């Protein structure tokens, strides 16, 4: 019954876009609108289909996914290490946290010219830009989670005389896992945000390239197709992350309900 | 006047401080607290010159107004905090950090939310072989009436069930001394009654020495062999009331009601201004031995 209700709600959410799409299709088909700047859904679908059949779509998706994946791995690893160090070593917190917080306030796109200057326009600056985007939410999530671990649960570990290592493994790690996963998830979302910026700075493949190409050659159907592909790939990556990590937070109701 | 007050208290089993916390001389105590004082970093003197000895298998209830240092005393005995002065010994061994002989049940269950009920009960048994751990855990769960609930998450349990898990977790490690800090204060009277019975059942099995903090006079009289009343600012021991009733104890029995009255009288006395009673001198402080 709850499943049915949830399915019903999801269906309701689809209603508005479907109605709008059908309306637009009809408007263009009856000549009420030209559809030159925004092609009707059928043309966008056809473009997507053609891209998929020719294999181009998969090439672009793959290029984008590799960039996001690499940037995500680097940014997440750096964020976890930095967050853990800053949360556990007070001297480091006073030394580097203020600088990181200041850097976090810099709008991400402001890095683009600098990265291009430093690393050229090939893959390095793209991956790095994505890594920067992923780093901050993970860093903030991990350091905040470690700093707010319940002292009362740590005392349970002390009562049973856990070693430092056992305390970290059996109490700190599980305690910070949910917030870390939330940080990773936010980071992945930002990774997809940043890959667009990275690919706009010049790429010969990738979904971002499809956007630029569509703009330069006035192909709005290709732009919308790329946007849809971005949405689908981003959603799929997010769902994959959630599915892979949800066994780790099975014990927690709040995280799962908010996913 | 003072003499008659003394007589009044003696009649009701309220013992003077000089021998208040003593016990039969031939028995060596399991737990000894010797001249324990605690001054917190902010200068608060939480405890002053606490001296107490508890023998094997004895149940002692600590009772007293809020802020008189009951939790502080338990934490010092558990080795979670360091005393400013004085020492705690269990079986002659000085306690400086948490010790395998000492188990603790806190006011809140403090279950680890990422472990299921069985995982929580077995948390302190990580060094045991898996099969032995499992048998011990399931026996403990049975004892607290949660045999069916080993696979559930703590959040799926009621407050009373969670506290039972916490009690099982402490007992399963077979401590010589078990410290309980208001373990039932968040529960309703009915649940509390059931938990008293279960606690006594568990106690009867291995007869650990128990020190339990409570605000509930009935709970103290139901559980304890001896009720020690504390007095605040700074926290120190006031009077001791011996209960001396056979178990199981029936709250409707006249002897029970009489014991409750004695504890209430002692508690009432501890809440009166300290001026009616001289502060402890070094000579009385060192007295119980
Ligand atoms: N960590 C601390 N730092 C400073 N002072 C503290 C600390 N913990 C307790 N105190 C103070 O020490 C005194 C005793 O506190 P404690 O918690 O031991 O009392 P209690 O008898 O357990 O009270 P309650 O019945 O309310 O639980 C209080 O005055 C309290 O404010
Ligand atoms: Mg307390």
């Amino acid at each position: 019954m709850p499943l049915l209700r949830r399915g019903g709600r999801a269906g309701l959410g689809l209603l508005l876009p479907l109605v709008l799409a059908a309306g637009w299709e009809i408007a263009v088909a009856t000549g009420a609108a030209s559809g030159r700047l925004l092609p009707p859904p059928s043309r966008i679908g056809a473009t997507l289909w053609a891209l998929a059949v020719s294999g181009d779509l998969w090439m672009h998706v793959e290029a984008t996914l590799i960039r996001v994946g690499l940037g995500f791995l680097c940014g997440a690893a750096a964020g976890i290490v930095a967050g853990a160090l800053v949360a556990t070593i007070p001297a480091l917190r006073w030394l580097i946290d203020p600088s990181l917080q200041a850097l976090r306030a810099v709008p991400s796109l402001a890095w683009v010219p600098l990265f291009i200057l430093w690393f050229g326009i090939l893959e390095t600056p793209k991956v790095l830009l994505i890594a920067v985007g992923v780093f901050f939410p993970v860093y903030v999530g991990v350091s905040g989670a470690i700093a707010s671990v319940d002292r009362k649960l740590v005392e349970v570990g002390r009562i049973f005389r856990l070693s430092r290592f056992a305390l970290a493994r059996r109490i700190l790690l599980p305690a910070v896992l949910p917030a870390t996963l939330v940080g990773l998830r936010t980071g992945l979302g930002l990774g997809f945000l940043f890959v667009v910026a990275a690919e706009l700075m010049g790429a010969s493949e990738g979904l971002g390239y499809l956007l630029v190409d569509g703009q330069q050659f006035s192909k709005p159907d290709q732009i919308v197709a790329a946007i849809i592909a971005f949405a689908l790939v981003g959603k799929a990556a997010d769902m994959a992350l959630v599915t892979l990590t949800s066994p780790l937070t099975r014990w927690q109701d709040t995280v799962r309900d908010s996913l | 006047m003072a003499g008659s007050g003394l007589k009044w208290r003696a009649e009701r089993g309220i013992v003077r401080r000089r021998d208040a916390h003593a016990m039969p001389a031939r028995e060596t105590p399991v737990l000894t607290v010797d001249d324990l004082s605690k001054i917190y970093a902010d200068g608060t003197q939480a405890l002053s010159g606490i001296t107490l000895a508890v023998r094997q298998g004895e149940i002692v209830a600590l009772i007293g107004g809020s802020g008189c240092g009951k939790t502080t005393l338990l934490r010092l005995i558990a080795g979670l905090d360091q005393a400013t002065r004085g020492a705690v010994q269990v079986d002659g061994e000085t306690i400086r950090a948490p010790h395998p002989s000492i188990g603790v049940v806190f006011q809140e269950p403090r279950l680890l939310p990422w472990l299921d009920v069985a995982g929580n009960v077995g948390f302190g048994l990580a060094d045991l072989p898996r099969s032995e751990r499992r048998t011990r855990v399931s026996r403990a769960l049975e004892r607290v009436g949660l045999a069916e609930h080993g696979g559930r998450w703590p959040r799926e349990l009621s407050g009373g069930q969670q506290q039972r898990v916490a009690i099982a977790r402490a007992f399963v490690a077979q401590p010589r001394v078990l410290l309980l800090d208001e373990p039932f204060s968040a529960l309703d009277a009915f649940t509390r009654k059931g938990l008293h019975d279960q606690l006594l059942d568990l106690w009867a099995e291995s007869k650990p020495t128990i020190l339990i903090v409570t605000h509930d006079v009935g709970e103290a009289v139901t559980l304890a062999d001896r009720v020690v009343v504390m007095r605040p600012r700074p926290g120190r021991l006031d009077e001791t009331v011996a209960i001396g009733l056979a178990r199981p104890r029936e709250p409707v029995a006249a002897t029970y009601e009489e014991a409750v009255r004695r504890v209430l009288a002692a508690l009432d006395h501890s809440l009166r201004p300290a001026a009616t009673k001289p502060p402890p001198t070094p000579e009385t402080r060192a007295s119980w031995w």
Side-chain angles (χ1 to χ4, degrees), chain A:
Chain A
M1 194 57 194
L3 196 77
L4 217 138
R5 229 181 292 142
R6 250 175 58 187
R9 252 187 282 161
L12 214 59
L14 282 176
L15 193 65
L16 186 64
L18 282 180
V19 165
L20 286 178
W24 190 241
E25 186 75 50
I26 292 167
V28 175
T30 57
S34 78
R36 196 172 53 82
L37 288 180
L38 182 60
S42 58
R43 275 240 309 281
I44 296 168
T47 306
L48 253 183
W49 180 249
L51 279 169
V53 169
S54 72
D56 283 1
L57 184 62
W58 311 124
M59 181 190 82
H60 293 303
V61 166
E62 187 187 335
T64 295
L65 273 181
I66 287 176
R67 285 178 191 127
V68 174
L70 278 177
F72 179 74
L73 284 183
C74 298
I80 289 173
V81 171
L85 288 177
V86 160
T88 47
I89 306 173
L92 271 183
R93 176 158 65 249
W94 303 323
L95 190 67
I96 66 173
D97 187 59
S99 308
L100 284 176
Q101 295 297 345
L103 286 178
R104 191 162 79 96
V106 175
S108 48
L109 292 186
W111 297 112
V112 170
L114 205 56
F115 282 7
I116 291 180
L117 209 61
W118 287 349
F119 307 107
I121 56 163
L122 294 178
E123 289 307 305
T124 317
K126 295 189 178 63
V127 170
L128 210 63
L129 184 67
I130 295 163
V132 167
V134 174
F135 173 83
F136 285 106
V138 175
Y139 166 78
V140 170
V142 170
S143 60
I146 294 179
S148 61
V149 168
D150 190 352
R151 191 186 55 87
K152 294 178 167 179
L153 296 187
V154 175
E155 268 180 4
V156 172
R158 286 183 59 206
I159 284 293
F160 289 107
R161 297 169 313 289
L162 299 189
S163 65
R164 264 175 161 270
F165 176 74
L167 198 70
R169 186 176 65 80
R170 299 182 63 196
I171 298 212
L172 295 183
L173 188 67
V176 304
L177 207 56
T180 303
L181 293 181
V182 170
L184 286 176
R185 201 159 166 233
T186 314
L188 187 63
L190 282 181
F192 273 96
L193 205 70
F194 279 40
V195 77
V196 181
E199 290 177 344
L200 287 181
M201 69 167 103
S204 54
E205 51 181 16
L207 291 173
Y209 162 80
L210 277 184
L211 290 175
V212 178
D213 184 70
Q215 183 223 331
Q216 278 169 352
F217 296 95
S218 279
K219 294 187 277 191
D221 49 336
Q222 183 179 314
I223 296 180
V224 179
I227 289 174
I228 290 173
F230 257 126
L232 293 178
V233 170
K235 181 72 190 164
D238 184 61
M239 277 168 62
L241 184 71
V242 170
T243 311
L244 284 176
T245 56
S246 68
L248 299 174
T249 53
R250 214 157 25 101
W251 52 272
Q252 232 208 2
D253 39 3
T254 47
V255 166
R256 279 214 298 160
D257 289 348
S258 69
L259 288 186

Side-chain angles (χ1 to χ4, degrees), chain B residues 40 42 44 46 65-72 182 215:
Chain B
Y40 279 109
D42 66 358
T44 312
S66 188
C68 63
K70 305 179 295 293
T71 296
T72 302
E182 300 186 37
H215 278 292

